[in-house]
Structure formats: C-alpha cells, structure tokens
Amino acid sequence: MGRKKTPLSDSLAVKASIVDAAEALFRSVGYSKTTVGEIAKALGMSQANVYRYFPTKASINEVICERVVLRIEDRCKSIIDSTSSAQQRLSLFMLEYFRAVKDNVIKEQRVHEMVVKAVEQYWTVIQEHVNRMDIMVQGILSNGIKAGAFKEVDIPATSLALQNAFSAFTYPALVERQIADAANSGGEKRIEADLLNLAAIVLRGISA
C-alpha cells in the first residue's frame, strides 16, 4: 500500500497544479491576458481557492518565471561540468546561455513576454537568477586561475564585467532584438559568430 499523503504534500500538489495550469494558459493566450479566474476555471476550482495557495497572480508569475530561469541555468551547468579547458568552458558557457535565452524567445514567445517584464522590474526571482549565474561565472574564473589558464584577477569584479559585456547576448529583450535584426543580416549564425568573437577578445585579456 502507498503511504498516505500528508496535508503538506496535498498542499504542494495543489500549488503545482495551479502553476501548471497557469503556465499552460500563458503559452496559449499569453501572460498579460491570463487571469486568476481563468486559472481557477481550468482547474475546476474557485478563485478563492487559488488565492488560498497564492495571494496574488504575481506570486504565481514568480514561480513560473523561476521554472524558466532554472531551465536556462540547467543548460549552462552542463557546460561547467564538461571537461573542456577553462577558455573553452567560458566561451561555451556564454554561448549556451545565449542559446537557452534564444530558445525561450522563439519557442516560448508568450512566456518570454513575462520574462521580459520580470527583468525590467527586477523581480526577486530574477535577482536570485542573476546571483546564481554570477556564482557560476565566478566558478569558471576561479577554476581557470587555479589551473593556470587565467591570470590572477579580481574574480567578482571580472565576473560582473563579463556579464555586462555579454548582456547583448543574454538580456531577453536584447536577444529578441538581435534575432529580429539577424533575419536581415545573416541569420542566427551571425549572432553566435559575434558572441564567439567577443569571447575571443575577452579571453585574450584574461588568459595567462
């Protein structure tokens, strides 16, 4: 016999179903057009019941946005765990970061709308995402210094400088603009070539 669900597990299951329903609606009708009433209707429950678990629509948005950024982070982590050299790891990390954001722009356009708003308003979930990405970049730099691949640099300051330098390839609204511009100037391969050229310039500056 299976173990009986506890009230906590029941609550977590209901919260997950609310977020799943909201995310599905975001994809079908868009972030701005989805209401708590529609989320409740999709689940066959009352709005009041939804509000028992999430006090506002914004709190549901935060959870969905967190799902999106965690998917991006998981893709970037796969690069950190690779056996590539420190220089390759830094280039490939930024390339994968761009590709993950790009895929969200192209394949999840309606969810992307929410992510752009989250970045513009610097939601808590975005602040936490930025911090985690910073930790990953600092880890690449630290390991590169230990391996003798990179110069001794101020790791936090260099990480911030790198992320600022690559913002055109990682900031959702700028990635969307790049994709639109690339349609008339060589396609997405041109964007990736630009990114790798920037990475080469950066690496010349920090390589030992």
Side-chain angles (χ1 to χ4, degrees):
M1 292 178 65
R3 190 172 63 181
K4 290 183 179 179
K5 287 186 176 181
T6 64
L8 175 60
S9 64
D10 283 341
S11 176
L12 292 174
V14 174
K15 290 183 77 170
S17 67
I18 290 170
V19 174
D20 288 342
E23 189 171 1
L25 283 167
F26 283 11
R27 288 197 172 96
S28 62
V29 301
Y31 150 74
S32 59
K33 294 181 180 179
T34 298
T35 66
V36 173
E38 288 169 331
I39 296 169
K41 183 179 179 181
L43 291 166
M45 64 171 63
S46 67
Q47 281 186 235
N49 203 29
V50 174
Y51 284 125
R52 281 182 57 203
Y53 297 94
F54 293 95
T56 62
K57 181 190 170 187
S59 60
I60 301 175
N61 298 344
E62 286 261 359
V63 177
I64 296 173
C65 190
E66 182 177 45
R67 285 183 174 187
V68 173
V69 298
L70 287 176
R71 290 179 199 130
I72 292 172
E73 290 171 29
D74 285 343
R75 289 180 59 167
C76 293
K77 284 176 184 174
S78 68
I79 303 300
I80 292 177
D81 296 335
S82 71
T83 56
S84 305
S85 68
Q87 287 92 341
Q88 289 175 322
R89 202 173 299 140
L90 183 59
S91 296
L92 293 175
F93 179 89
M94 289 303 178
L95 182 60
E96 191 62 30
Y97 195 177
F98 161 72
R99 286 174 173 171
V101 175
K102 177 202 70 176
D103 287 348
N104 193 64
V105 172
I106 295 173
K107 299 175 184 177
E108 303 287 356
Q109 182 62 43
R110 290 190 170 102
V111 176
H112 167 70
E113 173 194 354
M114 178 194 62
V115 175
V116 169
K117 185 66 66 176
V119 173
E120 288 175 351
Q121 298 178 351
Y122 209 40
W123 293 0
T124 300
V125 66
I126 295 299
Q127 297 174 36
E128 293 169 349
H129 166 66
V130 169
N131 290 337
R132 289 191 296 267
M133 295 304 288
D134 183 48
I135 289 169
M136 283 191 252
V137 174
Q138 288 196 40
I140 294 173
L141 292 171
S142 177
N143 290 334
I145 292 170
K146 289 176 183 176
F150 296 149
K151 298 173 183 175
E152 290 285 346
V153 295
D154 182 326
I155 292 175
T158 304
S159 175
L160 178 60
L162 283 170
Q163 292 176 79
N164 287 336
F166 283 94
S167 61
F169 302 97
T170 58
Y171 193 87
L174 295 179
V175 171
E176 184 176 17
R177 178 62 182 272
Q178 288 239 42
I179 292 169
D181 290 345
N184 301 314
S185 59
E188 293 170 23
K189 289 185 178 179
R190 192 269 303 165
I191 305 175
E192 293 194 358
D194 289 346
L195 185 153
L196 292 174
N197 285 336
L198 174 59
I201 292 169
V202 168
L203 287 169
R204 281 199 293 271
I206 66 174
S207 292

